[in-house]
Amino acid sequence: MIQINRKEFLTNLMVGAATTTTLLGGRMAAAETENHNIQTNNYPLFVSTWAFGKATNDEALKTYQRTESLLDAVESGIRVTEADVSNASVGIGGIPNADGIVQLDACIMDGPDHRVGSVAAIEGIAHPISVARKVMEKTPHVMLAGEGAQKFALDQGFQHTNLLTKNREEEWKSWQKGKDKEAHSDAHDTITLLALDQHGDIAGGCSTSGWGYKLPGRVGDSPIIGGGLYVDNQVGAAGCTGKGENCMRYCASFMVVEFMRSGLDPQSACIAAIKRIASTDPLGLNLEIYFIALDKHGNHGAAGVGKGFQYVITTPENSQVLQSEAIGEGSVGAEGGNR
Ligand code: SD4
């Protein structure tokens, strides 16, 4: 079992805090680090998970330039990924659950008013991010799940859509015949999108079909506020992708934002959250979790376990796929120690 030594963890945090002091010392200092600091005139800024987030960000930027609405930008960007049938982990074409039914999770969060809308295990609706937004704007609730979420969507005018594509159905059938009926744990790639405008306002959203061949009714971290996504308009935002169970159990996105509140820059906050979780969890670093984060000033960062992961940064000047910081197995102490 890989565990982090408590003293080592505290030392790591102090290193992170030192980096932050440099960052807080001035924007030029930050620009010289690897923290991808963004100039203040380069807004809006979009940060999303995985390389497919580039199309998401590009659409979000176009929408923002037309509407000046961060929520419109987040919704329209995520809809691009949801509509991509070749993407096996989001929206139509997503991997189904163990019964061969595609169940989707999504949420959206509005920084300035701290409003949230979320849907979980919704079936037969192609754009759960848009349903989540309706939950936020048209109901007094935060989250709708399962049949209730679908009924609400149909009442709001969304069309019933078959989300299971031929390819995914064939794969599911051969999975069913296979001896190994374990859920397809590596078949998961949420789109999570964080957005910041020139006023310092923040919004975010995420959408996923979740863990492939999951138990029917399983809900991941993506629609759970503080788990898969968290936005605090005073501080910044963070989102998680990967094995949702390992984010939900720690309110991981909330944790990243709270680390930023306490002074860490976004990348250090992502690293600190991973190390914090690994320091107490029996899984150690075998967590399969990946974070993106941005702060109110346009600093952004990412980190994941193992090989890390790709994420995308987009501004009006540039849209680029970056490789996150990777927290490798053993890099935070494999000898055990205090938990
Ligand atoms: C889930 N976190 O349902 C999502 C899936 C994901 O990269 O993000 N995969 O657990």
Side-chain angles (χ1 to χ4, degrees):
M1 184 187 306
I2 296 165
Q3 294 173 335
I4 183 172
N5 176 295
R6 186 182 298 274
K7 192 169 147 213
E8 189 172 0
F9 171 65
L10 289 173
T11 308
N12 285 332
L13 272 189
M14 283 161 68
V15 170
T19 311
T20 304
T21 309
T22 313
L23 283 172
L24 294 177
R27 299 187 69 81
M28 285 313 291
E32 285 158 16
T33 73
E34 289 184 350
N35 209 47
H36 314 298
N37 199 29
I38 295 289
Q39 300 305 307
T40 45
N41 61 354
N42 208 357
Y43 291 110
L45 165 65
F46 298 98
V47 185
S48 66
T49 49
W50 307 107
F52 58 66
K54 183 156 186 328
T56 310
N57 285 11
D58 291 347
E59 181 65 25
L61 176 62
K62 267 195 250 158
T63 302
Y64 186 85
Q65 287 172 331
R66 204 176 57 246
T67 65
E68 294 200 5
S69 159
L70 281 182
L71 287 175
D72 286 352
V74 166
E75 181 185 355
S76 70
I78 289 179
R79 283 175 67 99
V80 168
T81 322
E82 290 178 336
D84 179 0
V85 287
S86 69
N87 185 318
S89 52
V90 181
I92 189 164
I95 299 180
N97 65 18
D99 286 351
I101 295 166
V102 181
Q103 290 187 326
L104 304 176
D105 294 338
C107 76
I108 193 163
M109 193 158 182
D110 174 35
D113 295 322
H114 209 75
R115 293 181 303 159
V116 177
S118 168
V119 289
I122 188 171
E123 297 175 13
I125 302 292
H127 290 295
I129 190 69
S130 299
V131 185
R133 186 168 177 188
K134 290 276 189 227
V135 171
M136 179 173 79
E137 292 179 341
K138 304 276 184 200
T139 82
H141 307 307
V142 162
M143 176 184 258
L144 295 178
E147 277 176 31
Q150 189 195 53
K151 180 176 183 307
F152 169 75
L154 295 173
D155 289 349
Q156 290 291 320
F158 289 81
Q159 299 300 308
H160 189 281
T161 307
N162 175 22
L163 303 177
L164 185 63
T165 57
K166 273 270 159 276
N167 288 352
R168 299 287 100 77
E169 191 175 8
E170 290 310 315
E171 288 163 11
W172 170 71
K173 281 181 181 158
S174 58
W175 169 79
Q176 263 203 322
K177 280 188 215 133
K179 287 192 189 114
D180 182 9
K181 288 287 182 64
E182 284 294 304
H184 197 340
S185 68
D186 56 352
H188 47 80
D189 284 340
T190 296
I191 180 67
T192 303
L193 172 60
L194 311 176
L196 172 72
D197 69 14
Q198 69 275 23
H199 311 296
D201 286 331
I202 309 169
C206 52
S207 183
T208 189
S209 54
W211 188 331
Y213 313 138
K214 59 196 174 185
L215 286 177
R218 178 264 187 186
V219 172
D221 60 320
S222 303
I224 306 295
I225 298 307
L229 179 75
Y230 196 67
V231 174
D232 183 323
N233 216 51
Q234 292 182 336
V235 177
C240 184
T241 178
K243 200 174 263 184
E245 278 70 4
N246 295 339
C247 292
M248 295 160 83
R249 294 188 290 118
Y250 288 93
C251 302
S253 293
F254 179 75
M255 189 194 293
V256 172
V257 172
E258 288 304 300
F259 275 131
M260 289 193 287
R261 184 193 304 282
S262 69
L264 295 193
D265 64 87
Q267 186 166 301
S268 301
C270 294
I271 293 169
I274 290 169
K275 290 182 175 177
R276 165 81 170 273
I277 294 170
S279 74
T280 58
D281 200 89
L283 290 171
L285 276 170
N286 294 321
L287 296 165
E288 288 179 51
I289 55 174
Y290 315 91
F291 296 105
I292 53 172
L294 66 77
D295 72 18
K296 208 174 166 53
H297 309 293
N299 301 300
H300 54 80
V305 292
K307 295 185 182 132
F309 78 119
Q310 290 185 310
Y311 69 110
V312 189
I313 301 296
T314 301
T315 67
E317 283 174 11
N318 203 1
S319 188
Q320 50 179 332
V321 180
L322 300 171
Q323 180 66 33
S324 82
E325 179 81 19
I327 310 299
E329 298 236 46
S331 67
V332 288
E335 307 87 37
N338 294 331
R339 292 177 60 168

